[in-house]
Amino acid sequence: MATADLPGPDSLLRRTLGEWRIGLVAWRLLVLQTADPAVAAGMRDFSTYRAHPWRRIEHTMDSGKRLFFSDREGLRREVARLERTHRRLAGTDEQGRPFTASDPAVRVWVLVTLYECMTAMRELSGRPLGPRELEQMYAEFRAVCSEFGLSDDLFPATAADVPAYMERTIRERLEYSEPVRYLLFDMLREAPAPRRLGPLKPAWPLLRTVAAQVIGALTVADLPEAFRERFGLPRTRRAALLSFILHRTLRVLMNALPEHRRYRTPPAGVPLTPQSSTAPTTPTASAASADLSSTPASRPVRFPVPRRRKDADSRPARLRTFFHQVLDQTGDGRISSADLQAMAHNVCWPLELAAEREAPVYAAFETWWQQLRTGMDADGDGQVTCEEFVTAMLTGIDSGPAYLEQGLHVAVRAVFHAVDTDGSGHLCADEYRRVFGGSRVHLAELNHGFRQLDHDGDGRITEDEFVQAFTDYFTARTDNTAGSQLLGRP
């Protein structure tokens, strides 16, 4: 496909994709994409969607914003970043079939489902796009997709061909795998409270039960008929009525709102900071929204630390906290290379690092994983449990300082240099929050941790202070050492 002008502020694509009500079909989109066997396998082995669902969803939305609401330079930068990420996602699924996220057919499916969900949103609202509008939006959509360098033959030739492509793929390739079932029926029931709930957080256990029922029913009702028929998901009358009311009510509401309140992403887009290999960028506004938080980087989850006697060694409890908060990114109770690579990804993703600055971060975390695997994987299954981690870490720490220098310090220094976006050689408070901020970590806790490490009170942390903080976190036998409060007060 020849290079065409990208959709602008007045384009049908931007106005459709940018509306708040696109959220009504967001779960439908995730289910359709995940039903591809390669996507399901990648989610099972590499994704953080179980442990960090809000961050994972927001990363997807953030990437869509960068693809469809930026200029050509920003679009190409995002495409290159996605390609680097997807090259790392490959393996063998539970049935022994090889998979890779770089498979062109899989990538086309993921893209086309986004277009199809936009058209479905309009249709479900009672105001479907006409044939000319569909072709216009599809042409705008394909102009963006052309930057992926995928063969035109893999895409439906016209908008009119999309329904047949969807039905054929659903019937011939898609599978109702465990990740699909989990998305539909369990994910929201287990999800931690999003930070934006604010004072409603205590009510989250009740709210998520209701949300899971509503979103599950709505998603099943809105899925393509071919999908529901193939996998035995009936569209009940109650679910159909729910879909009718929600889609049409929100359409009327959005149309009544002033233009600036109608869109989650304004059609004009969000300016993206140009990338430079010599001048690292500051995270953009879109990156700053990741994980429903203003601090979108490696995401620890705040867990209470059990009470201990004053003379008790606090390291085991702290190491268990670190394992669950930071290391176990996939949320399966074990760590593997995928978890360490996910940590590297979550450092690099919001910073929009160039390839030459991203590679050292991934390499450093792989170095750390190899040390962990060699010294901790007692049963040789390629994974490390929490107890294996705690036992081996304590043994290594007690053996001498070289143990941390050969693994943890390698990763920590790589994180420091990645987050030090201005190359100043120190971290300010904002940069510190990008490292440790999370949807369940209160800003006051982050500020407390920063002050504990900023010994001279000059508002910045040097690389040596940063590394020493992690050393203290892992080695201090009491909770009185500044570094022991790296993730907040114990």
Side-chain angles (χ1 to χ4, degrees), residues 3 21 134 161 241 306 424:
T3 301
R21 62 187 174 125
L134 288 170
D161 297 314
L241 179 60
S424 63

mmCIF file of all heavy atoms in Angstrom, residues 3 21 134 161 241 306 424:
data_model
loop_
_atom_site.group_PDB
_atom_site.id
_atom_site.type_symbol
_atom_site.label_atom_id
_atom_site.label_comp_id
_atom_site.label_asym_id
_atom_site.label_seq_id
_atom_site.Cartn_x
_atom_site.Cartn_y
_atom_site.Cartn_z
ATOM 1 N N THR A 3 2.276 5.000 0.551
ATOM 2 C CA THR A 3 2.176 5.861 1.718
ATOM 3 C C THR A 3 1.126 6.932 1.487
ATOM 4 O O THR A 3 1.153 7.637 0.483
ATOM 5 C CB THR A 3 3.537 6.525 2.001
ATOM 6 O OG1 THR A 3 4.504 5.509 2.222
ATOM 7 C CG2 THR A 3 3.446 7.425 3.220
ATOM 8 N N ARG A 21 -16.666 6.819 24.764
ATOM 9 C CA ARG A 21 -17.489 5.608 24.700
ATOM 10 C C ARG A 21 -16.794 4.446 23.995
ATOM 11 O O ARG A 21 -17.329 3.332 23.983
ATOM 12 C CB ARG A 21 -18.838 5.892 24.047
ATOM 13 C CG ARG A 21 -18.793 6.376 22.608
ATOM 14 C CD ARG A 21 -20.181 6.783 22.157
ATOM 15 N NE ARG A 21 -20.171 7.391 20.838
ATOM 16 C CZ ARG A 21 -20.899 6.976 19.820
ATOM 17 N NH1 ARG A 21 -21.704 5.928 19.981
ATOM 18 N NH2 ARG A 21 -20.853 7.584 18.668
ATOM 19 N N LEU A 134 -17.619 4.022 6.092
ATOM 20 C CA LEU A 134 -16.786 2.866 6.412
ATOM 21 C C LEU A 134 -15.523 2.843 5.552
ATOM 22 O O LEU A 134 -14.422 2.589 6.047
ATOM 23 C CB LEU A 134 -17.579 1.575 6.216
ATOM 24 C CG LEU A 134 -18.666 1.285 7.253
ATOM 25 C CD1 LEU A 134 -19.533 0.106 6.803
ATOM 26 C CD2 LEU A 134 -18.043 0.981 8.611
ATOM 27 N N ASP A 161 -14.967 -5.866 2.921
ATOM 28 C CA ASP A 161 -14.413 -7.210 3.085
ATOM 29 C C ASP A 161 -14.096 -7.549 4.543
ATOM 30 O O ASP A 161 -13.767 -8.706 4.849
ATOM 31 C CB ASP A 161 -13.137 -7.356 2.250
ATOM 32 C CG ASP A 161 -13.395 -7.220 0.760
ATOM 33 O OD1 ASP A 161 -14.360 -7.840 0.286
ATOM 34 O OD2 ASP A 161 -12.647 -6.488 0.091
ATOM 35 N N LEU A 241 -30.410 -6.370 26.489
ATOM 36 C CA LEU A 241 -31.035 -5.126 26.954
ATOM 37 C C LEU A 241 -29.985 -4.201 27.570
ATOM 38 O O LEU A 241 -30.003 -2.987 27.343
ATOM 39 C CB LEU A 241 -32.121 -5.447 27.983
ATOM 40 C CG LEU A 241 -32.856 -4.242 28.593
ATOM 41 C CD1 LEU A 241 -33.564 -3.439 27.506
ATOM 42 C CD2 LEU A 241 -33.838 -4.711 29.663
ATOM 43 N N PRO A 306 4.261 -8.041 57.563
ATOM 44 C CA PRO A 306 3.814 -8.601 58.834
ATOM 45 C C PRO A 306 4.603 -8.038 60.008
ATOM 46 O O PRO A 306 5.765 -7.671 59.881
ATOM 47 C CB PRO A 306 4.084 -10.103 58.661
ATOM 48 C CG PRO A 306 5.101 -10.186 57.582
ATOM 49 C CD PRO A 306 4.857 -9.041 56.667
ATOM 50 N N SER A 424 21.688 13.886 33.842
ATOM 51 C CA SER A 424 22.318 14.752 34.842
ATOM 52 C C SER A 424 23.206 13.985 35.818
ATOM 53 O O SER A 424 23.985 14.588 36.545
ATOM 54 C CB SER A 424 21.249 15.505 35.627
ATOM 55 O OG SER A 424 20.431 14.594 36.356
#
